[in-house]
Amino acid sequence: MAAHLSRRGFVGGAAALSTAALWAPRPGRAAVAMGFDEARHLLSRATFGATPAEIRAVEALDYAAAVDRLLETRRATALTPAPAWVKEGLAELRAAQKASVAKKGIDGKPLDIVRPVQEQARELRNWWVEEMLVTDQPLVERMTLFWHNHFTSSLEKVKYRPAMYRQNELFRREALGNFGRLLKAVACDPAMLIYLDGARSVARQPNENFARELLELFTLGEGHYSEADIKNAARAFTGWSVDRKTGAFRVNEQAHDPGEKTFLGQTGRFKGDDIVAILLKQPRTAELVVEKLWREFVSLRPDPVEVKRLAAILRSGNYEMKPMLRAMFLSPAFREPSSRGALIKSPVELIVGSVHLLGLPVPEKTPLVRMMQGLGQLPFNPPNVKGWPGGEAWITTYTLLLRQQFLRRMVEATTVSSMDGDMTMPMRPNRRAERKEQAPADEAMQPPMEVARPVEGRSLRHAGMEARLGPTLAGVEAAELQRVLLPRKPIDGAEASGPPGAIVALAMLDPAYQLK
């Protein structure tokens, strides 16, 4: 049946069929069934959210068995076909840019066309959002997003879009793989070399950007290295560059500093790979990774004892991610009922999860991407090298209002045939974006970045009070609907009564819906 569903068609149905394979019954019975609420909690944290059918399939399983299923990896690549241009080299990109600038109309004036890099950025974001919706490996995609925010790079600076696509594929390939292998690959990743100026680092003038972020953000954290360590690490990575024709990684030995270097107390004629190897031997590296994963999946305040325990598992397993993630999901802190509803959904989680839950048909993904941008999380465009801060930073008085309005739009969208139309709010220029310092020259020619503006008036006071239920929610009892949508009791005190569509609308507009 799945083979007859077009990915351009009913996304909710396709996604449900994809994830159904994950939770299909297998021989044997659960030792102890976990129950509905714990199944919902596990899926809300480890995936983009779950439908009633997915929760019911999991609740009958033993908890450890459910975690093991989530950690299974079926493939190392995305289900969604990539845009055709991802195999192009840098030379082809430059040729396409020149061609777009040279095209003129019959009156001799330049044609008003979308430049290749802008269109490729739109296609790339839409491609990833579609993959989030249709994947049958939801934890893999969640971890791909996690690594994107750990090892940040941005389309705003990396104009060579195929490099950003390949970096995303790297994160997916190693999503549940090996952190050591991922760290080594990131160090020579063309998108990272462009983003942090490593491609221009040469012996006579080492660039310290990558070395600094490697120590501060990717491995050790502040206070665990010296300025001398940064300088010597930068020297070790000199000569690592990007081929100007193919866009592939290359080493220019003539630009490398072969001299002796002292790094974290060790001395030698180090190259980049040596620096990475030394960092992986530091206990602090595993601890930093665990701390960030704890904030992502468990709570905003890492438990020092648990961090050391999980970091030891990560190091003893030669940085294989699955044993450590399994131990984290099985930890009492993760399973504790009081932890349910203690984290805030990111804009991507909120929007992708809502579309999946409601079974909304979304042939065109651009409106969803605009929603994410309005709420402060534009895929492939983290705000800076530190990434999105996440946690409580997702919620301000302004963004809370925007979230509620976006959710109203989603409820309204269930009453129409699809979400082809623009569901975003009226837009206004972001003046701060216009004043960004050191903006790339070609970026300055683009229209100013826009953010969603709250909508006022009768349309929001009376709209979206009842959702039309799709196949993912149809036939579900009223009490169960509220348990599916909310991780805790409603904050606004709405009772689970009335027509099912009204219950869904009230639950989605309750602040508790934005928690996980």
PDB file of all heavy atoms in Angstrom, residues 393-427:
ATOM      1  N   ALA A 393      14.753  29.698  26.164  1.00  0.00           N
ATOM      2  CA  ALA A 393      14.963  30.784  25.211  1.00  0.00           C
ATOM      3  C   ALA A 393      13.967  30.734  24.052  1.00  0.00           C
ATOM      4  O   ALA A 393      13.778  31.734  23.357  1.00  0.00           O
ATOM      5  CB  ALA A 393      16.393  30.733  24.656  1.00  0.00           C
ATOM      6  N   TRP A 394      13.322  29.590  23.849  1.00  0.00           N
ATOM      7  CA  TRP A 394      12.325  29.498  22.784  1.00  0.00           C
ATOM      8  C   TRP A 394      11.084  30.350  23.088  1.00  0.00           C
ATOM      9  O   TRP A 394      10.358  30.719  22.171  1.00  0.00           O
ATOM     10  CB  TRP A 394      11.872  28.051  22.589  1.00  0.00           C
ATOM     11  CG  TRP A 394      12.867  27.123  21.991  1.00  0.00           C
ATOM     12  CD1 TRP A 394      13.250  25.901  22.474  1.00  0.00           C
ATOM     13  CD2 TRP A 394      13.601  27.295  20.767  1.00  0.00           C
ATOM     14  NE1 TRP A 394      14.172  25.315  21.644  1.00  0.00           N
ATOM     15  CE2 TRP A 394      14.406  26.155  20.587  1.00  0.00           C
ATOM     16  CE3 TRP A 394      13.659  28.311  19.809  1.00  0.00           C
ATOM     17  CZ2 TRP A 394      15.249  26.003  19.487  1.00  0.00           C
ATOM     18  CZ3 TRP A 394      14.512  28.161  18.718  1.00  0.00           C
ATOM     19  CH2 TRP A 394      15.288  27.015  18.567  1.00  0.00           C
ATOM     20  N   ILE A 395      10.860  30.636  24.360  1.00  0.00           N
ATOM     21  CA  ILE A 395       9.625  31.312  24.746  1.00  0.00           C
ATOM     22  C   ILE A 395       9.894  32.720  25.252  1.00  0.00           C
ATOM     23  O   ILE A 395      10.630  32.924  26.213  1.00  0.00           O
ATOM     24  CB  ILE A 395       8.874  30.510  25.838  1.00  0.00           C
ATOM     25  CG1 ILE A 395       8.506  29.129  25.314  1.00  0.00           C
ATOM     26  CG2 ILE A 395       7.638  31.270  26.289  1.00  0.00           C
ATOM     27  CD1 ILE A 395       7.499  29.137  24.178  1.00  0.00           C
ATOM     28  N   THR A 396       9.299  33.683  24.576  1.00  0.00           N
ATOM     29  CA  THR A 396       9.230  35.052  25.060  1.00  0.00           C
ATOM     30  C   THR A 396       7.760  35.468  24.951  1.00  0.00           C
ATOM     31  O   THR A 396       6.932  34.730  24.406  1.00  0.00           O
ATOM     32  CB  THR A 396      10.089  35.999  24.205  1.00  0.00           C
ATOM     33  OG1 THR A 396       9.542  36.043  22.877  1.00  0.00           O
ATOM     34  CG2 THR A 396      11.532  35.516  24.134  1.00  0.00           C
ATOM     35  N   THR A 397       7.418  36.633  25.471  1.00  0.00           N
ATOM     36  CA  THR A 397       6.041  37.109  25.339  1.00  0.00           C
ATOM     37  C   THR A 397       5.635  37.164  23.872  1.00  0.00           C
ATOM     38  O   THR A 397       4.513  36.787  23.499  1.00  0.00           O
ATOM     39  CB  THR A 397       5.900  38.507  25.975  1.00  0.00           C
ATOM     40  OG1 THR A 397       6.310  38.433  27.342  1.00  0.00           O
ATOM     41  CG2 THR A 397       4.463  38.990  25.898  1.00  0.00           C
ATOM     42  N   TYR A 398       6.570  37.579  23.030  1.00  0.00           N
ATOM     43  CA  TYR A 398       6.292  37.713  21.596  1.00  0.00           C
ATOM     44  C   TYR A 398       6.134  36.345  20.932  1.00  0.00           C
ATOM     45  O   TYR A 398       5.156  36.090  20.220  1.00  0.00           O
ATOM     46  CB  TYR A 398       7.423  38.500  20.950  1.00  0.00           C
ATOM     47  CG  TYR A 398       7.261  38.711  19.461  1.00  0.00           C
ATOM     48  CD1 TYR A 398       6.312  39.594  18.966  1.00  0.00           C
ATOM     49  CD2 TYR A 398       8.080  38.041  18.557  1.00  0.00           C
ATOM     50  CE1 TYR A 398       6.168  39.794  17.602  1.00  0.00           C
ATOM     51  CE2 TYR A 398       7.948  38.231  17.194  1.00  0.00           C
ATOM     52  CZ  TYR A 398       6.991  39.108  16.719  1.00  0.00           C
ATOM     53  OH  TYR A 398       6.850  39.304  15.374  1.00  0.00           O
ATOM     54  N   THR A 399       7.111  35.439  21.140  1.00  0.00           N
ATOM     55  CA  THR A 399       7.060  34.141  20.460  1.00  0.00           C
ATOM     56  C   THR A 399       5.932  33.263  21.003  1.00  0.00           C
ATOM     57  O   THR A 399       5.402  32.426  20.268  1.00  0.00           O
ATOM     58  CB  THR A 399       8.398  33.390  20.576  1.00  0.00           C
ATOM     59  OG1 THR A 399       8.714  33.167  21.968  1.00  0.00           O
ATOM     60  CG2 THR A 399       9.521  34.182  19.926  1.00  0.00           C
ATOM     61  N   LEU A 400       5.560  33.443  22.268  1.00  0.00           N
ATOM     62  CA  LEU A 400       4.439  32.663  22.800  1.00  0.00           C
ATOM     63  C   LEU A 400       3.153  33.022  22.061  1.00  0.00           C
ATOM     64  O   LEU A 400       2.370  32.138  21.693  1.00  0.00           O
ATOM     65  CB  LEU A 400       4.274  32.914  24.300  1.00  0.00           C
ATOM     66  CG  LEU A 400       3.129  32.151  24.984  1.00  0.00           C
ATOM     67  CD1 LEU A 400       3.318  30.651  24.836  1.00  0.00           C
ATOM     68  CD2 LEU A 400       3.037  32.537  26.459  1.00  0.00           C
ATOM     69  N   LEU A 401       2.956  34.318  21.820  1.00  0.00           N
ATOM     70  CA  LEU A 401       1.784  34.744  21.069  1.00  0.00           C
ATOM     71  C   LEU A 401       1.828  34.206  19.640  1.00  0.00           C
ATOM     72  O   LEU A 401       0.827  33.721  19.106  1.00  0.00           O
ATOM     73  CB  LEU A 401       1.713  36.279  21.053  1.00  0.00           C
ATOM     74  CG  LEU A 401       0.561  36.911  20.239  1.00  0.00           C
ATOM     75  CD1 LEU A 401      -0.788  36.452  20.791  1.00  0.00           C
ATOM     76  CD2 LEU A 401       0.679  38.428  20.270  1.00  0.00           C
ATOM     77  N   LEU A 402       3.005  34.271  19.042  1.00  0.00           N
ATOM     78  CA  LEU A 402       3.154  33.758  17.680  1.00  0.00           C
ATOM     79  C   LEU A 402       2.867  32.258  17.616  1.00  0.00           C
ATOM     80  O   LEU A 402       2.201  31.784  16.689  1.00  0.00           O
ATOM     81  CB  LEU A 402       4.568  34.017  17.168  1.00  0.00           C
ATOM     82  CG  LEU A 402       4.874  35.414  16.640  1.00  0.00           C
ATOM     83  CD1 LEU A 402       6.332  35.485  16.197  1.00  0.00           C
ATOM     84  CD2 LEU A 402       3.963  35.779  15.483  1.00  0.00           C
ATOM     85  N   ARG A 403       3.364  31.516  18.590  1.00  0.00           N
ATOM     86  CA  ARG A 403       3.126  30.069  18.609  1.00  0.00           C
ATOM     87  C   ARG A 403       1.628  29.771  18.664  1.00  0.00           C
ATOM     88  O   ARG A 403       1.137  28.901  17.943  1.00  0.00           O
ATOM     89  CB  ARG A 403       3.836  29.444  19.821  1.00  0.00           C
ATOM     90  CG  ARG A 403       5.337  29.255  19.632  1.00  0.00           C
ATOM     91  CD  ARG A 403       6.000  28.804  20.926  1.00  0.00           C
ATOM     92  NE  ARG A 403       7.373  28.373  20.681  1.00  0.00           N
ATOM     93  CZ  ARG A 403       7.828  27.143  20.892  1.00  0.00           C
ATOM     94  NH1 ARG A 403       7.012  26.206  21.360  1.00  0.00           N
ATOM     95  NH2 ARG A 403       9.083  26.822  20.629  1.00  0.00           N
ATOM     96  N   GLN A 404       0.917  30.467  19.526  1.00  0.00           N
ATOM     97  CA  GLN A 404      -0.517  30.226  19.644  1.00  0.00           C
ATOM     98  C   GLN A 404      -1.237  30.560  18.340  1.00  0.00           C
ATOM     99  O   GLN A 404      -2.160  29.854  17.922  1.00  0.00           O
ATOM    100  CB  GLN A 404      -1.073  31.048  20.802  1.00  0.00           C
ATOM    101  CG  GLN A 404      -0.602  30.567  22.169  1.00  0.00           C
ATOM    102  CD  GLN A 404      -0.971  31.522  23.287  1.00  0.00           C
ATOM    103  OE1 GLN A 404      -1.174  32.703  23.062  1.00  0.00           O
ATOM    104  NE2 GLN A 404      -1.068  30.988  24.504  1.00  0.00           N
ATOM    105  N   GLN A 405      -0.780  31.614  17.677  1.00  0.00           N
ATOM    106  CA  GLN A 405      -1.417  31.998  16.426  1.00  0.00           C
ATOM    107  C   GLN A 405      -1.101  31.008  15.308  1.00  0.00           C
ATOM    108  O   GLN A 405      -1.974  30.677  14.493  1.00  0.00           O
ATOM    109  CB  GLN A 405      -0.989  33.415  16.046  1.00  0.00           C
ATOM    110  CG  GLN A 405      -1.546  34.461  17.006  1.00  0.00           C
ATOM    111  CD  GLN A 405      -1.061  35.856  16.709  1.00  0.00           C
ATOM    112  OE1 GLN A 405      -0.092  36.029  15.988  1.00  0.00           O
ATOM    113  NE2 GLN A 405      -1.731  36.857  17.253  1.00  0.00           N
ATOM    114  N   PHE A 406       0.112  30.522  15.278  1.00  0.00           N
ATOM    115  CA  PHE A 406       0.467  29.515  14.286  1.00  0.00           C
ATOM    116  C   PHE A 406      -0.356  28.239  14.505  1.00  0.00           C
ATOM    117  O   PHE A 406      -0.797  27.601  13.557  1.00  0.00           O
ATOM    118  CB  PHE A 406       1.959  29.199  14.354  1.00  0.00           C
ATOM    119  CG  PHE A 406       2.820  30.188  13.621  1.00  0.00           C
ATOM    120  CD1 PHE A 406       3.942  30.724  14.215  1.00  0.00           C
ATOM    121  CD2 PHE A 406       2.510  30.572  12.319  1.00  0.00           C
ATOM    122  CE1 PHE A 406       4.746  31.631  13.546  1.00  0.00           C
ATOM    123  CE2 PHE A 406       3.309  31.480  11.637  1.00  0.00           C
ATOM    124  CZ  PHE A 406       4.425  32.011  12.248  1.00  0.00           C
ATOM    125  N   LEU A 407      -0.543  27.875  15.767  1.00  0.00           N
ATOM    126  CA  LEU A 407      -1.328  26.677  16.062  1.00  0.00           C
ATOM    127  C   LEU A 407      -2.788  26.878  15.660  1.00  0.00           C
ATOM    128  O   LEU A 407      -3.444  25.934  15.202  1.00  0.00           O
ATOM    129  CB  LEU A 407      -1.197  26.313  17.541  1.00  0.00           C
ATOM    130  CG  LEU A 407       0.179  25.767  17.946  1.00  0.00           C
ATOM    131  CD1 LEU A 407       0.308  25.658  19.447  1.00  0.00           C
ATOM    132  CD2 LEU A 407       0.436  24.411  17.294  1.00  0.00           C
ATOM    133  N   ARG A 408      -3.315  28.079  15.823  1.00  0.00           N
ATOM    134  CA  ARG A 408      -4.665  28.361  15.341  1.00  0.00           C
ATOM    135  C   ARG A 408      -4.735  28.147  13.822  1.00  0.00           C
ATOM    136  O   ARG A 408      -5.702  27.589  13.301  1.00  0.00           O
ATOM    137  CB  ARG A 408      -5.079  29.790  15.688  1.00  0.00           C
ATOM    138  CG  ARG A 408      -5.513  29.987  17.130  1.00  0.00           C
ATOM    139  CD  ARG A 408      -6.082  31.384  17.314  1.00  0.00           C
ATOM    140  NE  ARG A 408      -6.483  31.603  18.695  1.00  0.00           N
ATOM    141  CZ  ARG A 408      -7.677  31.296  19.180  1.00  0.00           C
ATOM    142  NH1 ARG A 408      -8.577  30.726  18.390  1.00  0.00           N
ATOM    143  NH2 ARG A 408      -7.983  31.535  20.445  1.00  0.00           N
ATOM    144  N   ARG A 409      -3.714  28.612  13.137  1.00  0.00           N
ATOM    145  CA  ARG A 409      -3.680  28.431  11.691  1.00  0.00           C
ATOM    146  C   ARG A 409      -3.664  26.954  11.330  1.00  0.00           C
ATOM    147  O   ARG A 409      -4.280  26.531  10.343  1.00  0.00           O
ATOM    148  CB  ARG A 409      -2.451  29.119  11.099  1.00  0.00           C
ATOM    149  CG  ARG A 409      -2.386  30.611  11.359  1.00  0.00           C
ATOM    150  CD  ARG A 409      -3.344  31.384  10.464  1.00  0.00           C
ATOM    151  NE  ARG A 409      -3.242  32.812  10.719  1.00  0.00           N
ATOM    152  CZ  ARG A 409      -3.809  33.743   9.975  1.00  0.00           C
ATOM    153  NH1 ARG A 409      -4.534  33.389   8.930  1.00  0.00           N
ATOM    154  NH2 ARG A 409      -3.681  35.004  10.279  1.00  0.00           N
ATOM    155  N   MET A 410      -2.954  26.168  12.108  1.00  0.00           N
ATOM    156  CA  MET A 410      -2.905  24.737  11.834  1.00  0.00           C
ATOM    157  C   MET A 410      -4.263  24.090  12.062  1.00  0.00           C
ATOM    158  O   MET A 410      -4.688  23.213  11.310  1.00  0.00           O
ATOM    159  CB  MET A 410      -1.844  24.061  12.703  1.00  0.00           C
ATOM    160  CG  MET A 410      -0.440  24.250  12.208  1.00  0.00           C
ATOM    161  SD  MET A 410       0.636  22.916  12.735  1.00  0.00           S
ATOM    162  CE  MET A 410       2.046  23.205  11.655  1.00  0.00           C
ATOM    163  N   VAL A 411      -4.930  24.493  13.134  1.00  0.00           N
ATOM    164  CA  VAL A 411      -6.268  23.969  13.383  1.00  0.00           C
ATOM    165  C   VAL A 411      -7.187  24.340  12.229  1.00  0.00           C
ATOM    166  O   VAL A 411      -7.970  23.517  11.732  1.00  0.00           O
ATOM    167  CB  VAL A 411      -6.821  24.508  14.722  1.00  0.00           C
ATOM    168  CG1 VAL A 411      -8.296  24.160  14.866  1.00  0.00           C
ATOM    169  CG2 VAL A 411      -6.022  23.932  15.888  1.00  0.00           C
ATOM    170  N   GLU A 412      -7.092  25.596  11.770  1.00  0.00           N
ATOM    171  CA  GLU A 412      -7.898  26.028  10.630  1.00  0.00           C
ATOM    172  C   GLU A 412      -7.567  25.218   9.385  1.00  0.00           C
ATOM    173  O   GLU A 412      -8.444  24.916   8.569  1.00  0.00           O
ATOM    174  CB  GLU A 412      -7.657  27.510  10.349  1.00  0.00           C
ATOM    175  CG  GLU A 412      -8.190  28.437  11.430  1.00  0.00           C
ATOM    176  CD  GLU A 412      -7.767  29.879  11.195  1.00  0.00           C
ATOM    177  OE1 GLU A 412      -6.965  30.122  10.268  1.00  0.00           O
ATOM    178  OE2 GLU A 412      -8.224  30.751  11.937  1.00  0.00           O
ATOM    179  N   ALA A 413      -6.284  24.850   9.232  1.00  0.00           N
ATOM    180  CA  ALA A 413      -5.862  24.128   8.032  1.00  0.00           C
ATOM    181  C   ALA A 413      -6.485  22.745   7.943  1.00  0.00           C
ATOM    182  O   ALA A 413      -6.576  22.176   6.856  1.00  0.00           O
ATOM    183  CB  ALA A 413      -4.338  24.004   8.005  1.00  0.00           C
ATOM    184  N   THR A 414      -6.931  22.177   9.068  1.00  0.00           N
ATOM    185  CA  THR A 414      -7.569  20.863   9.019  1.00  0.00           C
ATOM    186  C   THR A 414      -8.926  20.918   8.338  1.00  0.00           C
ATOM    187  O   THR A 414      -9.461  19.886   7.935  1.00  0.00           O
ATOM    188  CB  THR A 414      -7.762  20.281  10.435  1.00  0.00           C
ATOM    189  OG1 THR A 414      -8.682  21.105  11.168  1.00  0.00           O
ATOM    190  CG2 THR A 414      -6.449  20.195  11.178  1.00  0.00           C
ATOM    191  N   THR A 415      -9.492  22.112   8.181  1.00  0.00           N
ATOM    192  CA  THR A 415     -10.828  22.230   7.583  1.00  0.00           C
ATOM    193  C   THR A 415     -10.776  22.463   6.090  1.00  0.00           C
ATOM    194  O   THR A 415     -11.816  22.593   5.444  1.00  0.00           O
ATOM    195  CB  THR A 415     -11.600  23.388   8.235  1.00  0.00           C
ATOM    196  OG1 THR A 415     -10.943  24.629   7.933  1.00  0.00           O
ATOM    197  CG2 THR A 415     -11.674  23.210   9.741  1.00  0.00           C
ATOM    198  N   VAL A 416      -9.545  22.536   5.528  1.00  0.00           N
ATOM    199  CA  VAL A 416      -9.406  22.691   4.079  1.00  0.00           C
ATOM    200  C   VAL A 416      -8.677  21.491   3.528  1.00  0.00           C
ATOM    201  O   VAL A 416      -8.173  20.641   4.265  1.00  0.00           O
ATOM    202  CB  VAL A 416      -8.644  23.995   3.729  1.00  0.00           C
ATOM    203  CG1 VAL A 416      -9.428  25.196   4.192  1.00  0.00           C
ATOM    204  CG2 VAL A 416      -7.250  23.994   4.332  1.00  0.00           C
ATOM    205  N   SER A 417      -8.586  21.400   2.212  1.00  0.00           N
ATOM    206  CA  SER A 417      -8.072  20.184   1.586  1.00  0.00           C
ATOM    207  C   SER A 417      -6.579  20.012   1.748  1.00  0.00           C
ATOM    208  O   SER A 417      -6.068  18.903   1.729  1.00  0.00           O
ATOM    209  CB  SER A 417      -8.410  20.180   0.096  1.00  0.00           C
ATOM    210  OG  SER A 417      -7.862  21.324  -0.544  1.00  0.00           O
ATOM    211  N   SER A 418      -5.830  21.082   1.854  1.00  0.00           N
ATOM    212  CA  SER A 418      -4.379  20.962   1.988  1.00  0.00           C
ATOM    213  C   SER A 418      -3.817  22.249   2.537  1.00  0.00           C
ATOM    214  O   SER A 418      -4.521  23.215   2.755  1.00  0.00           O
ATOM    215  CB  SER A 418      -3.731  20.660   0.626  1.00  0.00           C
ATOM    216  OG  SER A 418      -3.742  21.811  -0.185  1.00  0.00           O
ATOM    217  N   MET A 419      -2.504  22.252   2.749  1.00  0.00           N
ATOM    218  CA  MET A 419      -1.830  23.445   3.231  1.00  0.00           C
ATOM    219  C   MET A 419      -0.999  24.062   2.120  1.00  0.00           C
ATOM    220  O   MET A 419       0.120  24.504   2.314  1.00  0.00           O
ATOM    221  CB  MET A 419      -0.937  23.099   4.426  1.00  0.00           C
ATOM    222  CG  MET A 419      -1.703  22.821   5.697  1.00  0.00           C
ATOM    223  SD  MET A 419      -0.657  22.188   7.009  1.00  0.00           S
ATOM    224  CE  MET A 419       0.508  23.514   7.186  1.00  0.00           C
ATOM    225  N   ASP A 420      -1.530  24.078   0.898  1.00  0.00           N
ATOM    226  CA  ASP A 420      -0.802  24.689  -0.209  1.00  0.00           C
ATOM    227  C   ASP A 420      -0.650  26.184  -0.014  1.00  0.00           C
ATOM    228  O   ASP A 420       0.314  26.781  -0.437  1.00  0.00           O
ATOM    229  CB  ASP A 420      -1.528  24.441  -1.533  1.00  0.00           C
ATOM    230  CG  ASP A 420      -1.224  23.064  -2.093  1.00  0.00           C
ATOM    231  OD1 ASP A 420      -0.077  22.643  -1.964  1.00  0.00           O
ATOM    232  OD2 ASP A 420      -2.142  22.418  -2.632  1.00  0.00           O
ATOM    233  N   GLY A 421      -1.642  26.803   0.614  1.00  0.00           N
ATOM    234  CA  GLY A 421      -1.619  28.254   0.783  1.00  0.00           C
ATOM    235  C   GLY A 421      -0.601  28.697   1.806  1.00  0.00           C
ATOM    236  O   GLY A 421      -0.031  27.905   2.530  1.00  0.00           O
ATOM    237  N   ASP A 422      -0.378  29.998   1.874  1.00  0.00           N
ATOM    238  CA  ASP A 422       0.570  30.573   2.830  1.00  0.00           C
ATOM    239  C   ASP A 422      -0.103  30.675   4.188  1.00  0.00           C
ATOM    240  O   ASP A 422      -1.016  31.465   4.386  1.00  0.00           O
ATOM    241  CB  ASP A 422       1.010  31.952   2.340  1.00  0.00           C
ATOM    242  CG  ASP A 422       2.143  32.514   3.169  1.00  0.00           C
ATOM    243  OD1 ASP A 422       2.455  31.910   4.217  1.00  0.00           O
ATOM    244  OD2 ASP A 422       2.705  33.543   2.775  1.00  0.00           O
ATOM    245  N   MET A 423       0.352  29.860   5.148  1.00  0.00           N
ATOM    246  CA  MET A 423      -0.248  29.851   6.471  1.00  0.00           C
ATOM    247  C   MET A 423       0.424  30.830   7.412  1.00  0.00           C
ATOM    248  O   MET A 423       0.063  30.925   8.566  1.00  0.00           O
ATOM    249  CB  MET A 423      -0.164  28.456   7.079  1.00  0.00           C
ATOM    250  CG  MET A 423      -1.003  27.415   6.383  1.00  0.00           C
ATOM    251  SD  MET A 423      -0.754  25.840   7.173  1.00  0.00           S
ATOM    252  CE  MET A 423      -1.183  26.236   8.867  1.00  0.00           C
ATOM    253  N   THR A 424       1.445  31.507   6.944  1.00  0.00           N
ATOM    254  CA  THR A 424       2.180  32.395   7.829  1.00  0.00           C
ATOM    255  C   THR A 424       1.427  33.699   8.028  1.00  0.00           C
ATOM    256  O   THR A 424       0.518  34.046   7.304  1.00  0.00           O
ATOM    257  CB  THR A 424       3.565  32.710   7.248  1.00  0.00           C
ATOM    258  OG1 THR A 424       3.396  33.248   5.940  1.00  0.00           O
ATOM    259  CG2 THR A 424       4.403  31.459   7.174  1.00  0.00           C
ATOM    260  N   MET A 425       1.866  34.439   9.061  1.00  0.00           N
ATOM    261  CA  MET A 425       1.242  35.718   9.372  1.00  0.00           C
ATOM    262  C   MET A 425       1.749  36.801   8.415  1.00  0.00           C
ATOM    263  O   MET A 425       2.759  36.639   7.768  1.00  0.00           O
ATOM    264  CB  MET A 425       1.592  36.123  10.808  1.00  0.00           C
ATOM    265  CG  MET A 425       1.306  35.058  11.831  1.00  0.00           C
ATOM    266  SD  MET A 425      -0.433  34.625  11.870  1.00  0.00           S
ATOM    267  CE  MET A 425      -0.379  33.156  12.871  1.00  0.00           C
ATOM    268  N   PRO A 426       1.060  37.928   8.340  1.00  0.00           N
ATOM    269  CA  PRO A 426       1.611  39.055   7.580  1.00  0.00           C
ATOM    270  C   PRO A 426       3.012  39.376   8.085  1.00  0.00           C
ATOM    271  O   PRO A 426       3.299  39.249   9.274  1.00  0.00           O
ATOM    272  CB  PRO A 426       0.625  40.195   7.882  1.00  0.00           C
ATOM    273  CG  PRO A 426      -0.661  39.501   8.209  1.00  0.00           C
ATOM    274  CD  PRO A 426      -0.259  38.238   8.914  1.00  0.00           C
ATOM    275  N   MET A 427       3.862  39.771   7.181  1.00  0.00           N
ATOM    276  CA  MET A 427       5.267  39.900   7.531  1.00  0.00           C
ATOM    277  C   MET A 427       5.696  41.368   7.558  1.00  0.00           C
ATOM    278  O   MET A 427       5.138  42.219   6.876  1.00  0.00           O
ATOM    279  CB  MET A 427       6.129  39.154   6.507  1.00  0.00           C
ATOM    280  CG  MET A 427       5.678  37.704   6.266  1.00  0.00           C
ATOM    281  SD  MET A 427       5.905  36.664   7.700  1.00  0.00           S
ATOM    282  CE  MET A 427       7.495  35.985   7.300  1.00  0.00           C
TER     283      MET A 427
END
